[in-house]
Amino acid sequence: MMPRACSLKLISLWTTEEGSESLVVEIDEFTDDGLLVDSIKVDLLDYQGRAQIKIVDESQNIEVGDYNLELTVIDEGSYVLLRDDAEEYPIKVPSSRLRLGDFAVRSEASQEEEKPAYTIEFGLRKSLVQRGNSNNNNGYIIKPNGVRIVSLTSDLVGSVASEYTNLGQCTVYLFEGQPEVLGDIFDEEDEEFEAPETEIVAVAPFATSIVADDGTYEICFLNPGSYLAALRCGTEIDDYLQFDNLHIPSAADITPSVQNIEVVANEVVTVNFLSNSDG
């Protein structure tokens, strides 16, 4: 079940290598509605698709170089709200740190007015994991899976014909490169992944987007390159901790063919899934 709110309190810790030494660069002030604060609380679901919030201003002078990024999440005050459920379920983070790995601060990436030069994207369908089960919900864990920092990216947007959205929840699956067998959401490297008895030959999607009630979707912050986009309807059961063996796209030509996409930096790519009557 996707949350209707996911609120995190963050501070960040960056490290960079200088010679044989590891130097710590700590960001201990955040921009919050024009004010500088020592931590910031963000409702992630307020900033879906292309929506962003600036939490570190370029004026805070992060030097060009190679970094290893960690986010410190303050467990107290972080929570998840589910649809039709008023209870605030706590979020825990192992060691209170999200280790996001290496990235480069580059001179060609710069803040444009209120648009940040770098974006930390949370893919909650991968990173948010329930502790316990639906009958005994002990809160959630945020993992680094599906959390990444990006820059100089592009967006994929489009619409889906009502002919398909009438079939149930629809999801647009996006795959990197040109894989031959397209899979549903799964993560074999997660320690809680339930592996099937037979070998998985399908490739997991790079990103997904549940189609909104008005038939639109967005998959944002894509690096330049080649992708495949596919649509499947009836995706309520897609769980990344197991391989559901969903046919992507839907079997029996229910949904349109896979579409090839070439993404160029700093552009918006539009891909629509039209009805059969539209050709």
Side-chain angles (χ1 to χ4, degrees):
M1 178 182 293
M2 283 296 292
R4 64 180 173 90
C6 183
S7 179
L8 295 181
K9 293 181 72 176
L10 304 173
I11 63 174
S12 66
L13 181 69
W14 307 27
T15 62
T16 182
E17 300 293 330
E18 185 171 292
S20 59
E21 297 184 1
S22 179
L23 303 178
V24 175
V25 180
E26 185 171 1
I27 307 299
D28 55 9
E29 287 189 324
F30 291 83
T31 301
D32 186 9
D33 197 21
L35 301 176
L36 290 179
V37 295
D38 59 7
S39 67
I40 188 166
K41 191 172 183 177
V42 179
D43 186 340
L44 295 178
L45 294 190
D46 280 346
Y47 300 96
Q48 299 188 66
R50 287 177 283 177
Q52 296 174 291
I53 179 175
K54 183 173 68 177
I55 62 174
V56 178
D57 194 271
E58 194 175 63
S59 62
Q60 292 171 252
N61 293 327
I62 301 168
E63 300 291 336
V64 170
D66 296 319
Y67 289 81
N68 187 284
L69 177 64
E70 293 182 355
L71 287 179
T72 300
V73 179
I74 304 170
D75 291 341
E76 183 179 356
S78 297
Y79 63 87
V80 169
L81 286 174
L82 302 178
R83 294 187 179 94
D84 303 320
D85 189 341
E87 184 173 349
E88 294 184 358
Y89 294 97
I91 291 175
K92 298 293 183 183
V93 177
S95 303
S96 296
R97 290 183 176 178
L98 281 175
R99 294 175 172 87
L100 304 186
D102 299 333
F103 82 103
V105 173
R106 296 171 290 183
S107 58
E108 62 267 28
S110 61
Q111 179 177 303
E112 297 181 8
E113 296 179 351
E114 290 300 303
K115 183 177 181 181
Y118 297 90
T119 299
I120 300 173
E121 186 202 28
F122 285 80
L124 292 179
R125 296 184 77 182
K126 288 185 178 180
S127 62
L128 193 64
V129 180
Q130 183 177 333
R131 302 160 63 212
N133 53 52
S134 57
N135 296 320
N136 184 26
N137 190 335
N138 295 318
Y140 291 82
I141 294 175
I142 285 277
K143 297 183 177 182
N145 313 52
V147 184
R148 61 195 184 104
I149 184 166
V150 294
S151 181
L152 301 173
T153 57
S154 299
D155 302 327
L156 171 65
V157 302
S159 60
V160 176
S162 59
E163 174 182 334
Y164 307 118
T165 56
N166 288 337
L167 300 174
Q169 175 182 283
C170 292
T171 299
V172 175
Y173 292 79
L174 187 69
F175 300 85
E176 287 186 292
Q178 302 290 318
E180 293 184 2
V181 183
L182 309 182
D184 52 55
I185 302 170
F186 65 94
D187 184 358
E188 293 180 279
E189 296 182 0
D190 192 287
E191 60 185 17
E192 298 181 29
F193 179 71
E194 301 175 10
E197 295 182 359
T198 57
E199 180 184 2
I200 300 175
V201 297
V203 174
F206 169 75
T208 64
S209 175
I210 295 175
V211 178
D213 292 341
D214 63 359
T216 61
Y217 74 92
E218 294 181 323
I219 299 178
C220 301
F221 310 114
L222 299 175
N223 291 318
S226 297
Y227 297 86
L228 297 178
L231 176 70
R232 178 183 169 89
C233 299
T235 55
E236 291 86 352
I237 62 172
D238 198 352
D239 181 353
Y240 97 99
L241 289 178
Q242 63 188 35
F243 179 60
D244 297 296
N245 198 23
L246 302 180
H247 294 281
I248 312 296
S250 301
D253 298 325
I254 296 174
T255 48
S257 300
V258 174
Q259 300 195 44
N260 290 279
I261 305 167
E262 194 67 33
V263 173
V264 179
N266 297 320
E267 289 191 1
V268 177
V269 181
T270 300
V271 174
N272 298 320
F273 292 91
L274 304 176
S275 66
N276 291 328
S277 61
D278 292 329

